[in-house]
Structures are given as C-alpha cells and as structure tokens.
Amino acid sequence: MKKIILILLLPISLISQSNYNLSLLGTYDNYSSEGTDIWGWVAPDGSEYALVGLNDGFSVVNVTNPSNLVEEFYINDVSSTWRDIKTWGNYAYITTDANNPGLLIVDLSDMTGNTYFYRTIFNNSNGSSTEFTNAHNIYIDENGVAYIFGASSNSAVNPTDGVIFLDVDTDPLNPIYLGEWNDFYVHDGMVRGDTMYVGCVYEGDLYVVDVSNKSNPQNLGNIGTPNDFTHNAWVSDNGDYVFTTDEKTDAYIGSYDITNLNNIQEVDRIQSNPGSNSIPHNVHVDGDFLITSYYRDGTVVHDITHPNNLIQVASFDSSPLSGDGFDGCWGTYPYLPSGNIISSDINSGSGNNGRLLVYSRDFLQACYLEGNVTDLSNSTPLTNVTIEIINSLSSITSSTDLSGNYFTGIVYQGTYDIVFSSPGYLTDTISSTLSNGNTTVVNAQLQPLVSFNTSGMVIDINGNGIPNADILIYNNDFSFNLNSDNNGNFSISGIYEGNYDVIAGAWGYVTSCTNEFISSSSTNQITLQEGYYDDFTFDFGWSVSGGIFNPNDGIWQRGDPEQTSFNGSDFNPENDLNNDCYDFAYITGLTAGPYVGARDVDEANTILTSPVFDLSLPLNSNNNYFLNYNLWFNNDSWGGNPNDSISVKIFNGNSYATLEIMTSSSNDLGQWNLRSYELSQYISLTNTMQIIIETADWDFLDDHFVEAGFDKFEIISQVPSYVDNNITANNRILIKIVDLFGRETINTSNSVVFYIYDDGSVDKRIILR
C-alpha cells in the first residue's frame, strides 16, 4: 500500500513540509568543513553530548543546555566525506572511508580530547587477524561487539567489504577479531541479540543474518527494498519488523514483517515529500516512532505504531535547498535521556560547512483510519480504490489492497471528509472524526457506473480518413491507446462517460490535442492538418544509431524524463517541454539512475534521426519553411575540463548543413531552448529531408557528464507566432531578422541578430534568455 502526502499551497502557511511538531532548541555551526554522521553519548554525571563527524575530523559538543551548546574538544583527522561514530562505555569508535586511519578510538572520560588511539590490525587468541584502514560504517551492539561495514585495507591482510566483527568489551583499546561476513558489500546495518540486519546497497536487498557464531554467520532471509539501493536498516523494539531506506531520488522508507524469515513481507512504504526528488538517508527506531534523516528535507518523524500504516507526524527542514542532492541533513540521534533529538547537517552552517541542531519533540501519535471498501451491487471487495482525507492544510491519499482494506491516518485530530473514488464507480464522501492515538473504522460501498462502446474517425481537412493514425484518450482513471484503420476509423470498448484528453497524430500531420466530453452519443471526429509536427506523444519512427546500445550508457530514449542535477545545475530535465500535448521527449538515458552520471552518455556517440519529410513543394510565395525545435544539453565533469558537445544538422538526401553546436561553454545549458531556422538559408530543400541530432562523450576516463534532450519538432511555413512580424520602432516596420551570416532566423535565445526594417535601417540586438 502506497501513501502520498500532498501539501497544498495556501495564502497563509499554517503547516508546511519544512517545520511542524519539532522545535529547534539550539544550533552549533562553528565548523570549518562539511558535516557527516552523528551519535550521542551520556556521561556518568548525566551530561549529554553530541558526537559529530566532519570531513576534517571529530567534534564533541555538550548539548545538556541546548541554548548554550559548547564544543568540548575537536580532533583533526584525515579528510573524508564519510565518517561514522558509535560508542561503548566511555569510548567513541570512529570509522572513515579515507585511506590509512583505520579505527579511531577516543576516550570520552578525558574531555580535553587528548586521549585517543588508532588501530588497523586486529588479532585474536587463535592467531588469526584482520586489517582495515578504512570502512564506511560501524555499529556496536548491546554485548560490546562492533560491526565494521564496508571495510578495505591498503595492504589487503584479509580485508572484507562485508562486515568485520570485533569485541570492544574485553579490551576497549585493543578490539579482538571475532570473524566476518563476506557475502556482499554492506553499506550500513545494525544488530540486536544474535541477529544482524544489513543494507546490501548494490544488491538492493535487506539481509538478515544469524551472527550467534561469529566465525560462521548464517543467512536467515533477504528481501529487495522499494528502490533497489538499500542504504540502512533498523529493527523494531519487538523484533518483528525492520525499516529501511534507499539512498535514491524520491525513494521510499520500507516496512517489513520479519516474523517468518523464510517469507519476509513488505507491509508498507512511504515518502516524506513525494515528487520533490528528496533522498532519504538513515532511519532509527525510537519506540513507536521512526526518526529519519533526509538530505534536503531535514529531520522527519513517522509514527510506526502500526508498521503496516506508516504516518508522518513531524518534520524540520534544516536545508535551504530542495529536491535531488546530497546536501542538508546527514544523520540524526533520538536516544538522549532528555528526549531531545540531535541532527547533523552537511553544509547548512556558516560558510556552507557542517551544523549541529538540537530539537524538542512536539509530536503525538497519529490519528489512524482504516476500513474496507466493497461494490454496492454485489459486496465484492474493491482493490485500488483511492481514499483521500480532505482538510484545508493537506491532502492525504491511500488505496485499498487486494482484500479491499485500507490503512491510513493524519497528524492532527478533527473532523474530516473522506473521499472514496475508483474508476468505473461513483465517488462517495463520508465525514468522520479522528483523534490522536486512536483507530477509527470507516467502511464504504461504491455504486458501479455503466460502460459503453463507441467509435470515431480521424480525418484530414478535406474529410478524408487518415489511416494508421495514433490516438490516445485518457483521464485520471482510464487510458485508451488506439490506431485508426485504413479508412481512418477507430473504436473504443468499455469507456465511461466523462471528460477526456484526446490526442491524435500521424507523420505528415500536425498532432491534435483537445479535452472532450465523451458519451455514448458523441461523434468523436478528429481533424488533422497536413504538416510536420512531433512532440513524441507517439512513436512516429525516429531512429537511433551510433556507438551506444545500452540505456545505462545514455542512448536516446523516448519517454517522460527523470531529473538529475550536479553542482546546482539540472542535467536530465525533470519534465519535457510544458506547452505541448503530452509528457514525452527524447532524452539521453531516460531514467535518472542512483546518481547524476549513472545513465548519461558514456564513451561514444548516440544519434537521433527523424523520419523523412518532404519540403520540395512551396507552401507560400517565398517558399519559406521554418524548422522549430527545443533542445536541452548539459556537460560537466567530476574533474578536468568537459569537452563534449551536441550538434543539430539538416540533411536533404545529398548533403548536410550544421544548424548549431552546443558545448560546455554555451550559455544556455541545463534548460529547454527554443530554436527556429528558415531552412532555405542553410540547404536546398528536397523531398528527402531529415534532421539529425548527435551528442557524444569521448572521455574514456568516464568522468564527464553528458545529457541531452530534444522535443517539439515542427515545420511551419510562416514566421512563428511567438515572434511579432509587425514589430514597429519609430514608425518602422520589421521585415526580417537575420543572423551574423545574413541568414533569416528566429533564434531568440542567447544570440546576436539583426532586425531589418522597411526604411532600410538595421538594429543589432543581443537576445538573452
């Protein structure tokens, strides 16, 4: 069951995604580098401390008085983006993914910060040993066993990138090697009793492992997580459920029933801010609540009283940024005796450095709502019914399962309208009062609608049927993909009366898109004008060639783009052009992947070529054909200088003409750019015309990012409507616009053009957008 929380925009913001039910008590941001993970520690005298990882070291801050945070000491360490901390007794144990340090052990009973040690080799009484010089994460269980995740070694003395087990209880300064688990690389995990729960990030799986025998751990079960990039895991207090994060854009928190390890079941999943592209990082179970660090969404709290019904109850967005990106909140720690929650930010502090934040808890248990939905005519359970809790602040939606049951809830108690809707049924609204910590049951029965069959026709302006036209008829509930027959006729089966978006097109015609009310008496006649237009709603036969064959390597693909970004610049667009008929465009590497560059153009070229179009017959006295399209390109690099490009060429069956080339130095990267060219200024027009778009990454070190997009291709026979052909200035009338080479153009983006008027005068203009 998927739940989505939609925060509505109001003139006065009463509640927001950024800050509710968590109060900021204090911050500490006197750091000189970015922040990493965080843990907490309580001294024998009851004083509370935040143990903060930073790129350049380790900081201990007294948080007993949140309004007066004091850094007790700081240990400078090798620079690393990743630093993780756990404690046992009076000692902090710190790992880092940078080479050489090994395990840093800090004696917290010495608040001068002068007592600390490094260990890289770990022995046991049997003469066996292991070594690690860097590791991604660490966890220490209630028995004093440290679990080192994702370790590696410079000298490779039995290193493992799975899990190393160390006894830190017997001799805290000289941990004893106990064994290891080597099945997969482990990113993070936790242990309770004799059971280990680990996120095997590259497998996309949660693994549950019996570690009662440290020299011979045994796998008990595993399950894939919602977004196939399992970052961390935490078990519920009763041991019956596990919660996970996937460190990917717009990913879910997952909830799993592990009472039968031979058949682990996902029972719920939830997003903090759906559609925002935010990335969850680490979850921690704290009684009936789940405290999660989201990168650009901050610290988020979910009620997990019912693990099959996760409900968000608090959030504090500490980052000024939003969407996809590895900024903002790295970690959080909810286990201090005071009840305060401490979180670490990566770069929201002064100078874009790390920051420590202390919150108080203002949240309560949620208001739980559940019930069953059936068909009024026969009492059959209805699946995928949408249940929406309506109020003035937010809209929360859920859906029924295969048995017609639903489970949902809301943060604040009150009386709400609950709307039940399903394709083919009349919508029903029921009012109910919900209260914090209590479950309210609301059942519903929906009355079925009657479907019908109908037909239609796609014709040209002379009334002739257009064969093999593509037709898409859809609304929020139904979608019909159709084709006309040889006479232009089409039929629709099982449609319900209502409003639909109707799109129809064929190569050689201009795609039509309208909104129509369709009933059993509708005519459903669609008229298309001759011309060339393609916004890629349909597949009109564009071909893809070049040296790239794998979608993961950035081949041209038609579909709905998924956004990626790097250094504040968009690489893949989030959407196609917003003023055409549908959501599709041609994009290199359509899906985003787990990070920017994962599916961009790599180490070869990819070429998009249009079907043939005929421009041999003049359509007006000047035989003017204007080519319009929208182009997207971005180019950057992890290091070095990106030197890749995209080119657009026109071909007439015999020769080519280059219309444009974009590179990393172009001014309009990372956005949709409208282009327009009067084609006879560039090439002789024939009946075998094609447009060719080629982009490439020729860097074989694989550190360049290359992304491109192409949308809304059209050929028109007059000056585009978005340019006023009767522009006047001082009683002059504009005749034409030409580029630096005297070619007529309507290229209105980041270019130098000349406006030629009827009195012979010329204006030079620099067009920026």
Side-chain angles (χ1 to χ4, degrees):
M1 178 180 64
K2 181 171 79 172
K3 292 194 285 294
I4 299 176
I5 301 175
L6 300 176
I7 303 300
L8 304 179
L9 297 178
L10 301 174
I12 300 175
S13 178
L14 302 177
I15 183 175
S16 70
Q17 171 65 26
S18 61
N19 184 4
Y20 64 98
N21 292 337
L22 283 174
S23 295
L24 183 62
L25 301 178
T27 65
Y28 183 86
D29 65 354
N30 189 25
Y31 292 127
S32 58
S33 71
E34 291 187 346
T36 63
D37 212 352
I38 191 170
W39 199 247
W41 181 70
V42 181
D45 66 359
S47 298
E48 296 180 346
Y49 294 88
L51 312 182
V52 183
L54 299 156
N55 281 14
D56 61 4
F58 169 64
S59 169
V60 175
V61 179
N62 190 321
V63 296
T64 308
N65 180 2
S67 62
N68 183 30
L69 304 182
V70 177
E71 183 181 62
E72 299 289 350
F73 67 86
Y74 168 83
I75 297 174
N76 186 60
D77 201 1
V78 63
S79 178
S80 175
T81 301
W82 298 274
R83 202 175 307 276
D84 198 54
I85 307 131
K86 297 297 183 292
T87 61
W88 180 251
N90 292 334
Y91 295 93
Y93 296 83
I94 300 123
T95 59
T96 176
D97 244 350
N99 286 332
N100 299 321
L103 182 65
L104 171 61
I105 305 172
V106 180
D107 187 346
L108 297 175
S109 63
D110 177 9
M111 278 294 158
T112 68
N114 291 321
T115 308
Y116 59 90
F117 310 89
Y118 288 96
R119 299 287 185 264
T120 57
I121 298 177
F122 308 91
N123 303 301
N124 65 18
S125 58
N126 298 326
S128 60
S129 66
T130 193
E131 176 188 22
F132 71 87
T133 53
N134 53 289
H136 194 78
N137 256 301
I138 180 173
Y139 183 81
I140 301 177
D141 68 13
E142 69 273 20
N143 299 310
V145 176
Y147 300 81
I148 311 298
F149 303 117
S152 60
S153 168
N154 290 335
S155 58
V157 181
N158 296 326
T160 176
D161 59 6
V163 188
I164 295 173
F165 312 139
L166 302 176
D167 173 6
V168 298
D169 181 59
T170 302
D171 185 352
L173 296 181
N174 295 285
I176 300 169
Y177 172 57
L178 300 176
E180 55 194 49
W181 184 78
N182 280 326
D183 287 21
F184 304 103
Y185 171 81
V186 173
H187 196 80
D188 199 357
M190 64 92 63
V191 181
R192 181 172 300 148
D194 291 326
T195 307
M196 179 173 69
Y197 310 89
V198 290
C200 298
V201 65
Y202 299 124
E203 308 305 313
D205 276 10
L206 161 73
Y207 269 80
V208 182
V209 183
D210 180 350
V211 292
S212 56
N213 182 351
K214 299 296 188 293
S215 62
N216 188 27
Q218 299 294 314
N219 294 343
L220 299 175
N222 65 286
I223 188 172
T225 54
N227 300 89
D228 300 318
F229 205 69
T230 318
H231 181 268
N232 95 309
W234 211 276
V235 69
S236 64
D237 286 354
N238 64 9
D240 290 341
Y241 295 89
V242 169
F243 305 90
T244 65
T245 56
D246 288 295
E247 193 182 20
K248 287 181 67 173
T249 297
D250 234 14
Y252 288 87
I253 293 171
S255 174
Y256 311 88
D257 183 340
I258 59 168
T259 53
N260 180 0
L261 289 171
N262 292 317
N263 186 27
I264 300 174
Q265 294 290 314
E266 180 185 332
V267 294
D268 201 7
R269 60 173 66 178
I270 194 169
Q271 295 168 297
S272 167
N273 197 358
S276 70
N277 294 320
S278 62
I279 303 171
H281 197 203
N282 293 317
V283 294
H284 297 83
V285 172
D286 184 22
D288 290 330
F289 297 98
L290 193 68
I291 319 297
T292 306
S293 55
Y294 271 80
Y295 281 112
R296 291 187 174 182
D297 272 355
T299 302
V300 179
V301 183
H302 292 92
D303 182 346
I304 58 170
T305 301
H306 305 288
N308 65 336
N309 186 17
L310 307 180
I311 301 171
Q312 186 169 318
V313 295
S315 174
F316 195 102
D317 188 353
S318 52
S319 173
L321 303 172
S322 62
D324 179 24
F326 298 98
D327 309 274
C329 186
W330 181 294
T332 187
Y333 180 85
Y335 305 120
L336 293 175
S338 64
N340 292 338
I341 296 170
I342 53 176
S343 296
S344 59
D345 269 13
I346 299 168
N347 54 1
S348 68
S350 61
N352 294 322
N353 290 314
R355 181 165 64 143
L356 163 67
L357 305 99
V358 184
Y359 303 107
S360 66
R361 303 166 182 247
D362 304 324
F363 49 86
L364 301 172
Q365 287 183 291
C367 310
Y368 316 114
L369 174 67
E370 62 184 58
N372 184 263
V373 185
T374 57
D375 186 309
L376 179 62
S377 65
N378 56 24
S379 298
T380 301
L382 296 179
T383 186
N384 289 325
V385 176
T386 298
I387 297 91
E388 186 174 9
I389 305 174
I390 302 295
N391 69 94
S392 61
L393 303 178
S394 64
S395 176
I396 297 175
T397 64
S398 184
S399 59
T400 55
D401 59 22
L402 293 175
S403 300
N405 298 316
Y406 71 93
F407 305 90
T408 184
I410 198 165
V411 180
Y412 299 114
Q413 62 186 19
T415 300
Y416 298 95
D417 285 336
I418 304 163
V419 180
F420 299 84
S421 60
S422 182
Y425 290 85
L426 284 175
T427 297
D428 191 17
T429 301
I430 300 174
S431 181
S432 183
T433 299
L434 309 180
S435 59
N436 288 105
N438 295 310
T439 300
T440 302
V441 177
V442 177
N443 299 320
Q445 291 185 306
L446 300 184
Q447 180 178 335
L449 299 172
V450 178
S451 66
F452 59 92
N453 300 332
T454 188
S455 61
M457 189 175 186
V458 183
I459 60 172
D460 63 22
I461 58 175
N462 298 314
N464 301 312
I466 299 176
N468 301 315
D470 291 285
I471 306 106
L472 173 61
I473 300 173
Y474 71 101
N475 59 20
N476 290 335
D477 296 326
F478 302 99
S479 182
F480 302 89
N481 288 279
L482 311 166
N483 292 100
S484 63
D485 62 18
N486 290 333
N487 298 312
N489 297 307
F490 64 89
S491 59
I492 314 171
S493 300
I495 194 170
Y496 295 88
E497 184 177 279
N499 285 94
Y500 292 83
D501 287 311
V502 179
I503 308 176
W507 187 248
Y509 296 87
V510 178
T511 298
S512 167
C513 46
T514 59
N515 186 272
E516 307 289 344
F517 183 81
I518 298 179
S519 68
S520 57
S521 59
S522 299
T523 304
N524 305 320
Q525 181 172 284
I526 306 169
T527 302
L528 302 183
Q529 293 185 343
E530 290 187 0
Y532 295 100
Y533 173 97
D534 200 348
D535 62 11
F536 308 112
T537 302
F538 307 112
D539 183 0
F540 289 156
W542 293 63
S543 62
V544 175
S545 58
I548 296 175
F549 306 97
N550 190 326
N552 289 338
D553 292 330
I555 196 171
W556 282 109
Q557 294 177 285
R558 172 182 154 268
D560 189 1
E562 294 182 8
Q563 183 187 39
T564 59
S565 60
F566 178 71
N567 284 342
S569 177
D570 289 339
F571 271 74
N572 257 16
E574 182 176 2
N575 300 298
D576 79 326
L577 196 69
N578 61 13
N579 62 349
D580 58 3
C581 290
Y582 200 57
D583 299 330
F584 285 4
Y586 262 100
I587 302 292
T588 54
L590 188 65
T591 56
Y595 51 86
V596 65
R599 291 172 184 161
D600 71 327
V601 181
D602 278 331
E603 302 179 8
N605 64 335
T606 183
I607 304 169
L608 178 65
T609 304
S610 74
V612 171
F613 49 95
D614 183 358
L615 302 184
S616 61
L617 299 177
L619 294 183
N620 56 39
S621 59
N622 295 322
N623 194 23
N624 289 335
Y625 283 98
F626 286 90
L627 163 65
N628 303 326
Y629 60 82
N630 288 266
L631 191 67
W632 179 290
F633 183 68
N634 212 340
N635 188 202
D636 207 330
S637 173
W638 285 113
N641 297 314
N643 57 359
D644 309 297
S645 64
I646 186 171
S647 67
V648 180
K649 298 179 181 179
I650 191 75
F651 179 59
N652 66 5
N654 296 306
S655 59
Y656 297 85
T658 299
L659 300 178
E660 70 168 311
I661 297 175
M662 290 182 67
T663 68
S664 61
S665 61
S666 297
N667 294 323
D668 44 10
L669 299 177
Q671 64 184 35
W672 285 112
N673 298 289
L674 172 64
R675 311 298 198 203
S676 184
Y677 300 91
E678 201 281 284
L679 287 176
S680 65
Q681 302 286 329
Y682 295 84
I683 199 168
S684 298
L685 304 183
T686 70
N687 62 355
T688 55
M689 306 293 295
Q690 289 178 290
I691 186 172
I692 300 165
I693 306 96
E694 179 179 11
T695 189
D697 174 12
W698 299 116
D699 172 53
F700 290 94
L701 296 178
D702 200 28
D703 65 352
H704 287 189
F705 305 144
V706 181
E707 294 283 18
F710 186 79
D711 201 9
K712 200 176 181 184
F713 160 89
E714 61 180 345
I715 302 289
I716 60 177
S717 60
Q718 58 188 8
V719 176
S721 59
Y722 46 82
V723 175
D724 185 356
N725 211 19
N726 291 313
I727 297 175
T728 61
N730 299 325
N731 297 318
R732 299 174 298 169
I733 298 177
L734 177 68
I735 297 176
K736 65 171 65 176
I737 305 171
V738 299
D739 63 14
L740 288 169
F741 301 99
R743 299 174 300 199
E744 192 165 351
T745 183
I746 312 295
N747 190 346
T748 58
S749 177
N750 302 310
S751 59
V752 177
V753 295
F754 297 91
Y755 282 45
I756 301 176
Y757 296 91
D758 63 343
D759 64 355
S761 61
V762 177
D763 287 348
K764 178 181 178 181
R765 300 191 182 190
I766 300 175
I767 308 298
L768 299 176
R769 187 176 64 182

